Amino acid sequence: MESVTGYVDHIVYRNEDNGYTVFNLSNDDGEVTCVGNFNYLGEGELLELSGEYINHSVYGTQLKVSSHQVKEPEDLISIERYLGSGAIKGLGAKLASRIVMKFKDDTFRIIEEEPERLAEIKGISERIAREISEQVEEKKDMRKAMIFLQKYGISTTLSAKIYQYYGPRIYTVIEENPYQIADHIDGVGFKTADEIAAKVGIHTDSDFRIRSGLFYTLLQSVQEGHVYLPQSILLRRAGQLLGVDAADMEKYVMDLCVEKKVILKEVKDENNPDGAPAEIRVYPAHYYFLELNTAKMLHDLNIDCELPESVIETRLSDIEKGEDLSLDEKQHQAVIESVKHGLLVLTGGPGTGKTTTINTMIQFFEREGMDIFLAAPTGRAAKRMTEATGYEAQTIHRLLEVSGNPEEEGNINGFAKNRENPLEADVIIIDEMSMVDLPLMHALLSAVIVGTRLVLVGDVNQLPSVGAGSVLKDIIESKRFPVVKLTKIFRQAGESDIVVNAHKINQGAPIELNNKSRDFFFLKRSDANMIISNIITLIQEKLPRYVDADKNDIQVMTPMRKGLLGVERLNHILQEYLNPPDRQKAEKEWGDKLFRVGDKVMQIRNNYQLEWEITTKFGLTVDKGMGIFNGDMGIVTEINTYRELLTMEYDEKRKVNYQFSQLDELELAYAITVHKSQGSEYPAVIIPLLPGPRMLYNRNLLYTAVTRAKKCITIVGSEETFQEMIQNSSEQKRYTSLDERIAEF
């Protein structure tokens, strides 16, 4: 049994479900990789560990921890970590170590009263010494707060965020109710706040803790796409999180209701309308009103046009003759309905003629002298819409002129286009509606005035939006608005096995995997490492020539984040083969991530404040704007360690500078989850497939993945799993009620 003491340098991997953690422990002897189960672990914590050294076949020597003890940080180490945290510009970890080693407990007095003595240390000039002293003096209060927060296992980066929000009140907040930090600070969850509370001495049955845990559980469900939770499920989930009996928590739900954080809605049993409610739903208040207002605005837009149908038919016939078009019955109906009504939903699978129908609508409205706006949820989807129609399409965020963070509760100024400053258009057509979540739909409708025609286009069989809500599906299921579903596969599309097989998947029909197709391939493999080897060969050698595309345009999609074929492991391996280390390529390690110039990277959360610009080769700015959004993908073009900046280039050559402190918003994107692929289309798609959880491995997910491929799709893995997914029509339940809110109007 070995015993080691040191500080958690950085966490490489953590499974929040079971606490399994891989982290690097740092002490005077260097670094050691440790693995074990920990209820909570924060970077910067001082630990005393006991365990056995093991030799991992891939990751080398590791300490397998059998027991651990958290120790109070030593003052000198806390001082060193503060100085080397990046809080003092120009002072890195090595210089901080030298300063503390020389001046020990006297470090801050020397810096403040005798800064010239810092020049005694190699690497520090008198000028740098003065600058360090000035910064330390300016940040005196912040320094004390950050050292105070380190005692609770909070990293220096997070400590800075917390101090910037609370200022000198931080001591009172920590000692009285640390749970409010989880409400206010991005990056602090309930579990972190709960660990701090335990160290402060707040009891597990504290009112603060139970209310915070309930609300945290509800907000976590929003991240899963839910708009509400049945009270019974909320209490069960929160009970598991808090270790408190569900029956003891009902009164706290009412407390949250009184605080106006949640809305309770009783749903009667249709078979017993006079009896007790069949279900009590608990909504985060913000999302309840988003749904309610969205339903009202949809209802208000759904007005009829006074133009006689005979006139519409005549004008449409002229367009068909002039453009040499022959619309089928459903396409014809869709155009008529778009003219007759203020709101229309057009849905259908790939190859069913949605683009032709949209183009015909555009022709009709243009001849009427109407102003038309086209938009889609992502840059890639907007670009595809532009190519398909010949008319400029833009992202919904850009259409609405993003100017802040519209996701913040109560922020009505997140978009420049809103109720007070609406869009000046006669017709608005939105594509890829399955991707649009509830907050974005609400923002869009807020900027559309009554009398504007709104056409919503999407494939209802795709996966629902990453964000909360099930907007397209709920609008259709409300049965209150005109909906046209295109079903006929046209000849050109029928030549593609991607399209034909996508429809077979959607219908639950088996697919013959004989590899006689020109664009739909299946490589039967049963070993995860062999699958990965095949993927590398396909990307490096086979597919770029076959589909005439760059290797960065070939996308690996996988159902899961974790596991042998999960996003995290695949990206680590693919980076090593597709963009290996090179002396000419700068790198930056950030937590458990490593970024390298040339890496394919994705933004993983909406950031409305990030500025982008498009420049000429001579550096002249030709366009600029704000906002990079969840799912946007680009290439790392520069890493400047002196300025602490990483530069990304996104679609349309938009360049964005990230400060190193913002790198938690990025992750490698050689492989992505199928959910993250929505709205995008790639020349070639590769799907690794081995058995997985039934609720996730369903028809819906497979259909979405297959329809992302434009020229070629290759599935590598288990044929049995593939066929089982086709037959598995179950979908994960998403608790939304927009259809009911619409029906109420």
Side-chain angles (χ1 to χ4, degrees):
M1 187 73 70
E2 299 286 343
S3 182
V4 180
T5 300
Y7 284 85
V8 179
D9 188 69
H10 73 266
I11 295 171
V12 177
Y13 168 78
R14 179 164 174 80
N15 184 325
E16 291 295 347
D17 294 329
N18 59 22
Y20 179 76
T21 310
V22 181
F23 62 95
N24 289 345
L25 191 81
S26 177
N27 57 25
D28 293 340
D29 297 326
E31 276 194 3
V32 59
T33 301
C34 305
V35 298
N37 290 79
F38 297 81
N39 292 332
Y40 170 82
L41 198 64
E43 291 181 356
E45 280 208 277
L46 179 61
L47 300 179
E48 186 177 303
L49 307 174
S50 295
E52 299 286 349
Y53 282 104
I54 59 171
N55 192 33
H56 192 282
S57 58
V58 176
Y59 302 110
T61 302
Q62 299 178 332
L63 180 69
K64 188 175 181 181
V65 179
S66 55
S67 65
H68 73 281
Q69 183 180 351
V70 180
K71 302 186 75 176
E72 283 294 309
E74 297 161 11
D75 288 343
L76 291 184
I77 295 294
S78 295
I79 293 169
E80 181 183 325
R81 285 180 177 273
Y82 168 74
L83 289 175
S85 69
I88 308 300
K89 198 168 182 181
L91 192 57
K94 289 182 180 177
L95 269 183
S97 177
R98 287 185 206 156
I99 292 171
V100 175
M101 196 179 297
K102 181 170 180 64
F103 299 117
K104 299 193 168 41
D105 290 330
D106 218 19
T107 295
F108 283 127
R109 189 196 65 76
I110 294 290
I111 292 174
E112 290 166 7
E113 298 176 13
E114 303 177 64
E116 67 279 359
R117 288 194 58 193
L118 293 177
E120 297 172 17
I121 294 166
K122 187 178 179 182
I124 299 181
S125 64
E126 288 187 12
R127 178 182 61 80
I128 292 173
R130 283 194 302 273
E131 288 175 359
I132 290 171
S133 178
E134 287 167 7
Q135 288 186 70
V136 166
E137 184 61 34
E138 283 173 15
K139 298 177 180 178
K140 201 170 187 176
D141 291 337
M142 183 179 180
R143 175 188 87 213
K144 289 177 181 174
M146 288 176 72
I147 291 174
F148 168 75
L149 290 169
Q150 276 189 52
K151 294 178 183 177
Y152 301 105
I154 302 173
S155 70
T156 49
T157 306
L158 209 48
S159 296
K161 278 188 187 178
I162 294 170
Y163 181 77
Q164 283 163 9
Y165 187 89
Y166 291 106
R169 291 193 301 122
I170 185 59
Y171 306 101
T172 308
V173 168
I174 290 288
E175 287 163 6
E176 291 183 0
N177 178 16
Y179 293 102
Q180 59 190 289
I181 298 176
D183 293 339
H184 298 149
I185 309 296
D186 185 30
V188 179
F190 169 81
K191 291 183 180 179
T192 303
D194 201 31
E195 180 67 20
I196 295 168
K199 290 180 178 178
V200 171
I202 292 174
H203 294 296
T204 56
D205 60 354
S206 149
D207 290 356
F208 287 139
R209 180 172 187 264
I210 294 174
R211 283 206 301 271
S212 180
L214 276 165
F215 194 58
Y216 167 79
T217 303
L218 195 57
L219 293 183
Q220 284 296 103
S221 75
V222 171
Q223 303 302 316
E224 298 168 24
H226 304 302
V227 173
Y228 72 88
L229 280 183
Q231 182 172 274
S232 58
I233 293 176
L234 171 61
L235 294 177
R236 189 187 74 229
R237 287 188 179 190
Q240 291 169 349
L241 172 74
L242 298 167
V244 175
D245 195 298
D248 297 333
M249 291 191 291
E250 280 192 42
K251 72 184 186 76
Y252 295 103
V253 176
M254 287 305 301
D255 289 345
L256 290 171
C257 190
V258 170
E259 292 173 25
K260 297 184 178 178
K261 284 189 169 184
V262 306
I263 300 288
L264 302 184
K265 190 167 181 68
E266 293 185 352
V267 180
K268 294 291 185 181
D269 185 345
E270 292 178 3
N271 299 319
N272 185 21
D274 299 323
E279 177 181 79
I280 297 175
R281 296 174 178 175
V282 187
Y283 295 77
H286 179 55
Y287 281 86
Y288 176 82
F289 290 111
L290 281 181
E291 254 195 1
L292 189 64
N293 293 332
T294 296
K296 175 69 166 63
M297 290 186 287
L298 285 167
H299 174 268
D300 292 346
L301 285 174
N302 189 32
I303 59 175
D304 293 336
C305 169
E306 296 176 2
L307 198 62
E309 190 161 330
S310 58
V311 175
I312 302 173
E313 289 281 6
T314 302
R315 293 178 185 176
L316 178 54
S317 179
D318 290 343
I319 291 172
E320 288 189 81
K321 289 174 185 173
E323 299 292 325
D324 194 24
L325 282 172
S326 180
L327 301 179
D328 79 350
E329 182 185 346
K330 290 287 187 182
Q331 291 176 309
H332 186 91
Q333 180 194 350
V335 179
I336 297 293
E337 296 288 344
S338 72
V339 180
K340 285 173 60 180
H341 301 286
L343 180 66
L344 170 72
V345 176
L346 175 65
T347 185
T352 55
K354 293 195 295 292
T355 300
T356 301
T357 308
I358 292 170
N359 283 335
T360 309
M361 290 177 187
I362 293 171
Q363 289 285 332
F364 191 103
F365 292 127
E366 269 209 325
R367 293 187 182 199
E368 299 296 306
M370 294 181 169
D371 291 325
I372 307 163
F373 288 167
L374 307 181
T378 67
R380 283 174 178 262
K383 186 177 180 182
R384 283 170 49 208
M385 200 178 185
T386 300
E387 291 167 352
T389 63
Y391 292 81
E392 185 189 357
Q394 52 193 320
T395 64
I396 298 173
H397 287 92
R398 199 164 187 195
L399 176 72
L400 298 177
E401 298 176 17
V402 64
S403 61
N405 184 355
E407 293 178 358
E408 286 180 4
E409 190 172 338
N411 184 2
I412 60 169
N413 299 314
F415 293 109
K417 294 297 181 183
N418 49 41
R419 204 170 289 108
E420 287 76 35
N421 180 30
L423 293 163
E424 295 177 8
D426 299 303
V427 182
I428 298 173
I429 303 175
I430 307 293
D431 199 8
E432 293 287 359
M433 267 300 300
S434 62
M435 292 184 68
V436 176
D437 60 19
L438 181 63
L440 186 57
M441 188 64 181
H442 183 273
L444 172 66
L445 294 174
S446 298
V448 179
I449 57 174
V450 174
T452 303
R453 286 179 175 81
L454 181 63
V455 180
L456 307 176
V457 185
D459 184 348
V460 76
N461 293 307
Q462 300 274 12
L463 287 170
S465 57
V466 174
S470 190
V471 174
L472 180 63
K473 186 177 180 183
D474 281 357
I475 290 174
I476 293 171
E477 290 191 351
S478 74
K479 297 183 172 62
R480 293 296 195 272
F481 308 113
V483 176
V484 178
K485 183 174 183 179
L486 305 179
T487 53
K488 180 181 176 182
I489 302 176
F490 288 88
R491 185 184 60 81
Q492 299 94 319
E495 294 173 359
S496 164
D497 286 321
I498 294 174
V499 172
V500 171
N501 287 342
H503 284 273
K504 284 184 177 180
I505 290 168
N506 196 32
Q507 293 155 9
I511 295 173
E512 188 178 358
L513 303 174
N514 54 20
N515 284 338
K516 292 181 180 178
S517 168
R518 289 181 297 174
D519 62 4
F520 196 102
F521 303 102
F522 200 106
L523 305 181
K524 297 174 187 177
R525 304 287 185 271
S526 57
D527 177 74
N529 291 330
M530 180 58 71
I531 289 172
I532 295 171
S533 176
N534 285 175
I535 288 171
I536 292 166
T537 302
L538 286 167
I539 296 174
Q540 287 184 323
E541 301 172 20
K542 307 287 186 183
L543 289 176
R545 289 196 306 271
Y546 190 72
V547 297
D548 189 25
D550 186 85
K551 68 179 183 179
N552 279 328
D553 293 326
I554 295 161
Q555 189 59 55
V556 178
M557 284 180 208
T558 179
M560 301 175 69
R561 288 197 59 82
K562 309 287 186 184
L564 293 175
L565 294 177
V567 163
E568 293 176 4
R569 182 169 186 253
L570 282 172
N571 272 321
H572 176 73
I573 295 170
L574 292 175
Q575 181 189 43
E576 289 302 300
Y577 282 90
L578 303 179
N579 188 31
D582 187 318
R583 288 184 179 179
Q584 305 303 313
K585 293 180 179 179
E587 295 181 352
K588 175 60 184 175
E589 193 172 354
W590 186 258
D592 59 342
K593 305 171 186 175
L594 174 68
F595 297 107
R596 184 177 293 135
V597 168
D599 274 338
K600 184 177 176 180
V601 171
M602 174 185 281
Q603 174 82 13
I604 58 172
R605 67 175 69 112
N606 291 341
N607 186 326
Y608 298 89
Q609 273 72 47
L610 272 177
E611 295 182 8
W612 55 262
E613 66 174 3
I614 301 172
T615 60
T616 66
K617 62 180 179 179
F618 302 109
L620 297 173
T621 301
V622 294
D623 195 7
K624 62 181 179 180
M626 291 181 70
I628 298 295
F629 306 107
N630 190 356
D632 284 355
M633 287 168 59
I635 303 295
V636 178
T637 57
E638 184 183 356
I639 296 175
N640 188 320
T641 51
Y642 178 74
R643 295 175 61 206
E644 297 191 344
L645 290 176
L646 178 147
T647 305
M648 288 281 299
E649 184 174 299
Y650 289 100
D651 290 338
E652 302 167 336
K653 298 196 178 298
R654 293 175 299 151
K655 289 194 173 181
V656 180
N657 286 327
Y658 289 82
Q659 296 175 1
F660 282 174
S661 60
Q662 295 173 302
L663 295 186
D664 57 348
E665 297 186 13
L666 298 174
E667 70 179 21
L668 295 176
Y670 297 103
I672 62 174
T673 61
V674 178
H675 277 86
K676 290 285 190 183
S677 74
Q678 288 172 271
S680 299
E681 190 176 68
Y682 307 93
V685 168
I686 304 170
I687 305 173
L689 204 58
L690 285 178
R694 180 173 169 77
M695 279 304 294
L696 179 64
Y697 279 50
N698 57 27
R699 181 186 300 171
N700 198 211
L701 182 132
L702 185 60
Y703 174 79
T704 301
V706 167
T707 54
R708 299 305 92 203
K710 188 175 182 181
K711 295 182 180 178
C712 170
I713 186 156
T714 307
I715 301 169
V716 191
S718 162
E719 179 181 359
E720 186 179 350
T721 300
F722 175 77
Q723 301 293 4
E724 284 175 355
M725 287 178 76
I726 294 174
Q727 298 308 314
N728 180 14
S729 59
S730 64
E731 294 178 31
Q732 288 180 301
K733 169 70 177 172
R734 187 168 275 210
Y735 293 107
T736 67
S737 52
L738 179 61
D739 54 340
E740 296 172 24
R741 299 289 84 78
I742 291 168
E744 288 171 2
F745 286 101

